[in-house]
CSV table of all heavy atoms in Angstrom, one decimal:
chain,number,residue,atom,x,y,z
N,1,GLU,N,-22.6,1.8,-1.2
N,1,GLU,CA,-23.4,2.5,-2.2
N,1,GLU,C,-24.9,2.0,-2.1
N,1,GLU,O,-25.8,2.8,-2.3
N,1,GLU,CB,-22.9,2.3,-3.6
N,1,GLU,CG,-21.7,3.1,-3.9
N,1,GLU,CD,-21.2,2.9,-5.3
N,1,GLU,OE1,-21.1,1.7,-5.7
N,1,GLU,OE2,-21.0,3.8,-6.1
N,2,ALA,N,-25.0,0.7,-2.0
N,2,ALA,CA,-26.4,0.1,-1.9
N,2,ALA,C,-27.1,0.6,-0.7
N,2,ALA,O,-28.3,0.8,-0.7
N,2,ALA,CB,-26.3,-1.4,-1.9
N,3,ALA,N,-26.4,0.7,0.4
N,3,ALA,CA,-27.1,1.1,1.7
N,3,ALA,C,-27.3,2.6,1.8
N,3,ALA,O,-28.2,3.1,2.5
N,3,ALA,CB,-26.2,0.6,2.9
N,4,HIS,N,-26.4,3.4,1.1
N,4,HIS,CA,-26.5,4.9,1.2
N,4,HIS,C,-26.4,5.5,-0.2
N,4,HIS,O,-25.4,5.9,-0.6
N,4,HIS,CB,-25.3,5.4,2.1
N,4,HIS,CG,-25.2,4.7,3.4
N,4,HIS,ND1,-26.1,4.9,4.4
N,4,HIS,CD2,-24.3,3.7,3.8
N,4,HIS,CE1,-25.7,4.2,5.4
N,4,HIS,NE2,-24.7,3.4,5.1
N,5,PRO,N,-27.6,5.6,-0.8
N,5,PRO,CA,-27.7,6.1,-2.2
N,5,PRO,C,-27.2,7.6,-2.3
N,5,PRO,O,-26.8,8.0,-3.4
N,5,PRO,CB,-29.2,6.1,-2.5
N,5,PRO,CG,-29.9,5.4,-1.4
N,5,PRO,CD,-28.9,5.2,-0.3
N,6,SER,N,-27.1,8.3,-1.2
N,6,SER,CA,-26.7,9.7,-1.3
N,6,SER,C,-25.1,9.8,-1.3
N,6,SER,O,-24.6,10.8,-1.5
N,6,SER,CB,-27.2,10.5,-0.1
N,6,SER,OG,-26.7,10.0,1.1
N,7,GLY,N,-24.5,8.6,-1.1
N,7,GLY,CA,-23.0,8.6,-1.1
N,7,GLY,C,-22.5,8.4,-2.5
N,7,GLY,O,-23.3,8.2,-3.5
N,8,GLU,N,-21.2,8.5,-2.6
N,8,GLU,CA,-20.6,8.4,-4.0
N,8,GLU,C,-19.2,7.8,-3.8
N,8,GLU,O,-18.6,7.8,-2.8
N,8,GLU,CB,-20.5,9.7,-4.7
N,8,GLU,CG,-19.6,10.7,-3.9
N,8,GLU,CD,-19.6,12.1,-4.5
N,8,GLU,OE1,-20.3,12.3,-5.5
N,8,GLU,OE2,-18.9,13.0,-4.1
N,9,ARG,N,-18.7,7.2,-4.9
N,9,ARG,CA,-17.4,6.6,-4.9
N,9,ARG,C,-16.4,7.7,-4.9
N,9,ARG,O,-16.5,8.8,-5.5
N,9,ARG,CB,-17.2,5.8,-6.2
N,9,ARG,CG,-18.0,4.6,-6.3
N,9,ARG,CD,-17.9,3.9,-7.6
N,9,ARG,NE,-18.5,2.6,-7.6
N,9,ARG,CZ,-17.9,1.5,-7.6
N,9,ARG,NH1,-16.6,1.5,-7.8
N,9,ARG,NH2,-18.5,0.3,-7.5
N,10,LEU,N,-15.2,7.4,-4.2
N,10,LEU,CA,-14.1,8.3,-4.2
N,10,LEU,C,-13.1,7.7,-5.2
N,10,LEU,O,-12.6,6.6,-5.0
N,10,LEU,CB,-13.4,8.4,-2.8
N,10,LEU,CG,-14.0,9.4,-1.8
N,10,LEU,CD1,-13.3,9.2,-0.5
N,10,LEU,CD2,-13.8,10.8,-2.3
N,11,VAL,N,-12.7,8.5,-6.2
N,11,VAL,CA,-11.8,8.1,-7.2
N,11,VAL,C,-10.7,9.1,-7.3
N,11,VAL,O,-10.9,10.3,-7.3
N,11,VAL,CB,-12.5,7.9,-8.6
N,11,VAL,CG1,-11.5,7.5,-9.6
N,11,VAL,CG2,-13.6,6.9,-8.5
N,12,ARG,N,-9.4,8.6,-7.3
N,12,ARG,CA,-8.3,9.5,-7.4
N,12,ARG,C,-7.4,8.9,-8.5
N,12,ARG,O,-7.0,7.7,-8.5
N,12,ARG,CB,-7.5,9.5,-6.1
N,12,ARG,CG,-6.3,10.5,-6.2
N,12,ARG,CD,-5.5,10.6,-4.9
N,12,ARG,NE,-6.4,11.2,-3.8
N,12,ARG,CZ,-6.4,10.8,-2.6
N,12,ARG,NH1,-5.5,9.9,-2.2
N,12,ARG,NH2,-7.2,11.4,-1.7
N,13,MET,N,-7.1,9.8,-9.5
N,13,MET,CA,-6.3,9.4,-10.6
N,13,MET,C,-6.8,8.1,-11.3
N,13,MET,O,-6.0,7.2,-11.6
N,13,MET,CB,-4.8,9.3,-10.2
N,13,MET,CG,-4.3,10.6,-9.8
N,13,MET,SD,-2.6,10.7,-9.1
N,13,MET,CE,-1.7,9.3,-9.7
N,14,GLY,N,-8.1,8.0,-11.4
N,14,GLY,CA,-8.7,6.8,-12.1
N,14,GLY,C,-8.8,5.6,-11.3
N,14,GLY,O,-9.3,4.6,-11.7
N,15,LYS,N,-8.4,5.7,-10.0
N,15,LYS,CA,-8.4,4.5,-9.1
N,15,LYS,C,-9.4,4.7,-8.0
N,15,LYS,O,-9.4,5.7,-7.3
N,15,LYS,CB,-7.0,4.2,-8.6
N,15,LYS,CG,-6.9,3.0,-7.7
N,15,LYS,CD,-5.5,2.8,-7.2
N,15,LYS,CE,-5.5,1.5,-6.3
N,15,LYS,NZ,-4.3,1.4,-5.5
N,16,LEU,N,-10.2,3.7,-7.7
N,16,LEU,CA,-11.2,3.7,-6.6
N,16,LEU,C,-10.4,3.7,-5.3
N,16,LEU,O,-9.6,2.7,-5.1
N,16,LEU,CB,-12.2,2.6,-6.7
N,16,LEU,CG,-13.2,2.5,-5.6
N,16,LEU,CD1,-14.2,3.6,-5.7
N,16,LEU,CD2,-13.9,1.1,-5.6
N,17,ILE,N,-10.7,4.7,-4.4
N,17,ILE,CA,-10.0,4.6,-3.1
N,17,ILE,C,-11.0,4.6,-2.0
N,17,ILE,O,-10.5,4.4,-0.8
N,17,ILE,CB,-9.1,5.9,-3.0
N,17,ILE,CG1,-9.8,7.2,-3.0
N,17,ILE,CG2,-7.9,5.8,-4.0
N,17,ILE,CD1,-9.1,8.4,-2.5
N,18,GLY,N,-12.3,4.8,-2.2
N,18,GLY,CA,-13.2,4.7,-1.1
N,18,GLY,C,-14.6,5.2,-1.4
N,18,GLY,O,-15.0,5.2,-2.5
N,19,PHE,N,-15.2,5.8,-0.4
N,19,PHE,CA,-16.6,6.2,-0.4
N,19,PHE,C,-16.8,7.5,0.4
N,19,PHE,O,-16.1,7.7,1.4
N,19,PHE,CB,-17.4,5.0,0.2
N,19,PHE,CG,-18.9,5.2,0.2
N,19,PHE,CD1,-19.6,5.2,-1.0
N,19,PHE,CD2,-19.6,5.5,1.3
N,19,PHE,CE1,-21.0,5.4,-1.1
N,19,PHE,CE2,-21.0,5.6,1.3
N,19,PHE,CZ,-21.7,5.6,0.1
N,20,ARG,N,-17.6,8.3,-0.2
N,20,ARG,CA,-17.9,9.6,0.5
N,20,ARG,C,-19.4,9.7,0.7
N,20,ARG,O,-20.2,9.4,-0.2
N,20,ARG,CB,-17.5,10.8,-0.4
N,20,ARG,CG,-17.9,12.1,0.2
N,20,ARG,CD,-17.5,13.2,-0.8
N,20,ARG,NE,-16.2,13.0,-1.3
N,20,ARG,CZ,-15.7,13.6,-2.3
N,20,ARG,NH1,-16.4,14.4,-3.1
N,20,ARG,NH2,-14.4,13.3,-2.7
N,21,VAL,N,-19.8,10.1,1.9
N,21,VAL,CA,-21.2,10.1,2.3
N,21,VAL,C,-21.5,11.3,3.3
N,21,VAL,O,-20.6,11.5,4.1
N,21,VAL,CB,-21.7,8.8,2.9
N,21,VAL,CG1,-21.1,8.5,4.2
N,21,VAL,CG2,-23.3,8.8,3.0
N,22,PRO,N,-22.6,12.0,3.1
N,22,PRO,CA,-22.9,13.1,4.1
N,22,PRO,C,-23.2,12.5,5.4
N,22,PRO,O,-23.9,11.5,5.5
N,22,PRO,CB,-24.1,13.8,3.5
N,22,PRO,CG,-24.2,13.4,2.1
N,22,PRO,CD,-23.5,12.0,2.0
N,23,LEU,N,-22.6,13.0,6.5
N,23,LEU,CA,-22.8,12.5,7.8
N,23,LEU,C,-24.3,12.6,8.2
N,23,LEU,O,-24.8,11.7,8.9
N,23,LEU,CB,-22.1,13.3,8.9
N,23,LEU,CG,-20.6,13.0,9.0
N,23,LEU,CD1,-19.9,14.0,10.0
N,23,LEU,CD2,-20.3,11.6,9.4
N,24,ASP,N,-25.0,13.6,7.6
N,24,ASP,CA,-26.5,13.7,7.9
N,24,ASP,C,-27.3,12.5,7.4
N,24,ASP,O,-28.4,12.3,7.8
N,24,ASP,CB,-27.0,15.0,7.2
N,24,ASP,CG,-26.5,16.2,7.9
N,24,ASP,OD1,-26.0,16.2,9.1
N,24,ASP,OD2,-26.6,17.3,7.3
N,25,ASP,N,-26.7,11.8,6.4
N,25,ASP,CA,-27.5,10.7,5.8
N,25,ASP,C,-27.1,9.3,6.3
N,25,ASP,O,-27.6,8.3,5.8
N,25,ASP,CB,-27.2,10.7,4.3
N,25,ASP,CG,-27.8,12.0,3.6
N,25,ASP,OD1,-28.5,12.7,4.3
N,25,ASP,OD2,-27.4,12.2,2.4
N,26,VAL,N,-26.4,9.3,7.4
N,26,VAL,CA,-25.9,8.0,7.9
N,26,VAL,C,-26.3,7.9,9.4
N,26,VAL,O,-26.1,8.8,10.2
N,26,VAL,CB,-24.4,7.8,7.8
N,26,VAL,CG1,-23.9,6.5,8.4
N,26,VAL,CG2,-23.9,8.0,6.4
N,27,ASN,N,-26.9,6.7,9.8
N,27,ASN,CA,-27.2,6.6,11.2
N,27,ASN,C,-26.0,6.1,11.9
N,27,ASN,O,-25.0,5.7,11.3
N,27,ASN,CB,-28.4,5.6,11.4
N,27,ASN,CG,-28.1,4.2,11.1
N,27,ASN,OD1,-27.0,3.7,11.3
N,27,ASN,ND2,-29.1,3.5,10.5
N,28,GLY,N,-26.0,6.2,13.3
N,28,GLY,CA,-24.8,5.9,14.1
N,28,GLY,C,-24.3,4.5,13.9
N,28,GLY,O,-23.1,4.3,13.8
N,29,LYS,N,-25.2,3.5,13.8
N,29,LYS,CA,-24.7,2.1,13.7
N,29,LYS,C,-24.0,1.9,12.4
N,29,LYS,O,-23.0,1.3,12.3
N,29,LYS,CB,-25.9,1.2,13.8
N,29,LYS,CG,-25.6,-0.3,13.7
N,29,LYS,CD,-26.9,-1.1,13.9
N,29,LYS,CE,-26.5,-2.6,13.7
N,29,LYS,NZ,-27.7,-3.4,13.8
N,30,ASP,N,-24.6,2.4,11.3
N,30,ASP,CA,-24.0,2.3,10.0
N,30,ASP,C,-22.6,3.1,9.9
N,30,ASP,O,-21.7,2.6,9.3
N,30,ASP,CB,-24.9,2.8,8.9
N,30,ASP,CG,-26.1,2.0,8.6
N,30,ASP,OD1,-26.1,0.8,9.1
N,30,ASP,OD2,-27.0,2.4,7.9
N,31,LEU,N,-22.6,4.2,10.6
N,31,LEU,CA,-21.3,5.0,10.6
N,31,LEU,C,-20.2,4.2,11.3
N,31,LEU,O,-19.1,4.1,10.8
N,31,LEU,CB,-21.5,6.3,11.3
N,31,LEU,CG,-20.3,7.2,11.3
N,31,LEU,CD1,-19.8,7.7,10.0
N,31,LEU,CD2,-20.5,8.4,12.3
N,32,ASN,N,-20.6,3.6,12.5
N,32,ASN,CA,-19.6,2.8,13.2
N,32,ASN,C,-19.0,1.7,12.3
N,32,ASN,O,-17.8,1.4,12.3
N,32,ASN,CB,-20.2,2.2,14.5
N,32,ASN,CG,-20.5,3.3,15.5
N,32,ASN,OD1,-19.9,4.4,15.5
N,32,ASN,ND2,-21.2,2.9,16.5
N,33,ALA,N,-19.9,1.0,11.6
N,33,ALA,CA,-19.5,-0.1,10.7
N,33,ALA,C,-18.6,0.4,9.6
N,33,ALA,O,-17.6,-0.3,9.3
N,33,ALA,CB,-20.7,-0.8,10.2
N,34,LEU,N,-19.0,1.5,9.0
N,34,LEU,CA,-18.1,2.1,7.9
N,34,LEU,C,-16.7,2.5,8.4
N,34,LEU,O,-15.7,2.2,7.8
N,34,LEU,CB,-18.8,3.3,7.3
N,34,LEU,CG,-20.0,3.0,6.4
N,34,LEU,CD1,-20.8,4.3,6.0
N,34,LEU,CD2,-19.6,2.2,5.1
N,35,VAL,N,-16.7,3.2,9.6
N,35,VAL,CA,-15.4,3.6,10.1
N,35,VAL,C,-14.6,2.4,10.5
N,35,VAL,O,-13.4,2.3,10.2
N,35,VAL,CB,-15.6,4.5,11.4
N,35,VAL,CG1,-14.4,4.7,12.2
N,35,VAL,CG2,-16.3,5.8,11.0
N,36,ARG,N,-15.2,1.4,11.0
N,36,ARG,CA,-14.5,0.1,11.4
N,36,ARG,C,-13.9,-0.6,10.1
N,36,ARG,O,-12.8,-1.0,10.1
N,36,ARG,CB,-15.4,-0.8,12.2
N,36,ARG,CG,-14.7,-1.8,13.0
N,36,ARG,CD,-15.8,-2.5,13.9
N,36,ARG,NE,-15.2,-3.4,14.8
N,36,ARG,CZ,-14.7,-3.0,16.0
N,36,ARG,NH1,-14.7,-1.7,16.3
N,36,ARG,NH2,-14.2,-3.9,16.8
N,37,ALA,N,-14.7,-0.6,9.1
N,37,ALA,CA,-14.3,-1.3,7.8
N,37,ALA,C,-13.1,-0.5,7.2
N,37,ALA,O,-12.2,-1.1,6.7
N,37,ALA,CB,-15.5,-1.3,6.8
N,38,ALA,N,-13.2,0.8,7.3
N,38,ALA,CA,-12.1,1.7,6.8
N,38,ALA,C,-10.8,1.4,7.6
N,38,ALA,O,-9.7,1.4,7.0
N,38,ALA,CB,-12.5,3.1,6.8
N,39,TRP,N,-11.0,1.3,8.9
N,39,TRP,CA,-9.8,1.1,9.8
N,39,TRP,C,-9.2,-0.3,9.4
N,39,TRP,O,-8.0,-0.4,9.2
N,39,TRP,CB,-10.3,1.1,11.2
N,39,TRP,CG,-9.1,0.9,12.2
N,39,TRP,CD1,-8.3,1.8,12.8
N,39,TRP,CD2,-8.6,-0.4,12.7
N,39,TRP,NE1,-7.4,1.2,13.6
N,39,TRP,CE2,-7.6,-0.1,13.5
N,39,TRP,CE3,-9.0,-1.7,12.5
N,39,TRP,CZ2,-6.8,-1.2,14.2
N,39,TRP,CZ3,-8.3,-2.7,13.1
N,39,TRP,CH2,-7.2,-2.4,14.0
N,40,TYR,N,-10.0,-1.3,9.2
N,40,TYR,CA,-9.5,-2.6,8.9
N,40,TYR,C,-8.8,-2.6,7.5
N,40,TYR,O,-7.8,-3.3,7.3
N,40,TYR,CB,-10.6,-3.7,8.8
N,40,TYR,CG,-10.9,-4.4,10.1
N,40,TYR,CD1,-12.1,-4.2,10.7
N,40,TYR,CD2,-10.0,-5.3,10.6
N,40,TYR,CE1,-12.4,-4.8,11.9
N,40,TYR,CE2,-10.3,-5.9,11.8
N,40,TYR,CZ,-11.5,-5.7,12.4
N,40,TYR,OH,-11.8,-6.4,13.6
N,41,CYS,N,-9.2,-1.8,6.6
N,41,CYS,CA,-8.6,-1.6,5.3
N,41,CYS,C,-7.2,-1.0,5.4
N,41,CYS,O,-6.4,-1.4,4.6
N,41,CYS,CB,-9.5,-0.8,4.4
N,41,CYS,SG,-8.9,-0.4,2.8
N,42,ARG,N,-7.0,-0.2,6.3
N,42,ARG,CA,-5.7,0.6,6.4
N,42,ARG,C,-4.8,0.1,7.5
N,42,ARG,O,-3.6,0.4,7.5
N,42,ARG,CB,-6.0,2.1,6.6
N,42,ARG,CG,-6.8,2.7,5.5
N,42,ARG,CD,-6.1,2.8,4.2
N,42,ARG,NE,-5.3,3.9,4.2
N,42,ARG,CZ,-4.4,4.3,3.3
N,42,ARG,NH1,-4.3,3.6,2.2
N,42,ARG,NH2,-3.7,5.4,3.5
N,43,ALA,N,-5.3,-0.6,8.5
N,43,ALA,CA,-4.5,-1.0,9.6
N,43,ALA,C,-3.5,-2.2,9.2
N,43,ALA,O,-3.8,-3.0,8.4
N,43,ALA,CB,-5.4,-1.5,10.8
N,44,PRO,N,-2.3,-2.2,9.9
N,44,PRO,CA,-1.4,-3.3,9.7
N,44,PRO,C,-2.1,-4.7,10.0
N,44,PRO,O,-3.0,-4.7,10.9
N,44,PRO,CB,-0.3,-3.0,10.6
N,44,PRO,CG,-0.4,-1.6,10.9
N,44,PRO,CD,-1.8,-1.2,10.9
N,45,LYS,N,-1.7,-5.7,9.3
N,45,LYS,CA,-2.4,-7.0,9.4
N,45,LYS,C,-2.4,-7.5,10.8
N,45,LYS,O,-3.4,-8.0,11.3
N,45,LYS,CB,-1.8,-8.0,8.5
N,45,LYS,CG,-2.1,-7.7,7.0
N,45,LYS,CD,-1.5,-8.7,6.1
N,45,LYS,CE,-1.8,-8.3,4.7
N,45,LYS,NZ,-1.2,-9.2,3.7
N,46,ARG,N,-1.3,-7.5,11.6
N,46,ARG,CA,-1.3,-8.0,12.9
N,46,ARG,C,-2.2,-7.2,13.9
N,46,ARG,O,-2.9,-7.8,14.7
N,46,ARG,CB,0.1,-8.0,13.5
N,46,ARG,CG,1.0,-9.1,12.9
N,46,ARG,CD,2.3,-9.1,13.6
N,46,ARG,NE,3.2,-10.1,12.9
N,46,ARG,CZ,4.4,-10.4,13.3
N,46,ARG,NH1,5.0,-9.7,14.2
N,46,ARG,NH2,5.1,-11.3,12.6
């Protein structure tokens, strides 16, 4: 949110589940970092 003011929180049933941002507003390096962080969040620990 701090890096991409055009983005917004994703909330489902009152619970924060992530972040939504227009692709047009994100540079490639930031997008790679966001995708990687999301992968780490959902991937099995090992």
Side-chain angles (χ1 to χ4, degrees):
E1 282 181 312
H4 308 287
S6 62
E8 62 186 5
R9 290 172 170 251
L10 273 177
V11 178
R12 184 177 297 144
M13 295 175 23
K15 182 180 178 192
L16 178 69
I17 62 165
F19 184 68
R20 175 183 314 161
V21 65
L23 284 175
D24 291 342
D25 295 347
V26 182
N27 69 36
K29 183 179 177 184
D30 289 347
L31 179 70
N32 289 346
L34 288 169
V35 167
R36 199 171 189 82
W39 182 90
Y40 271 112
C41 177
R42 303 288 281 176
K45 289 181 181 179
R46 285 186 184 175

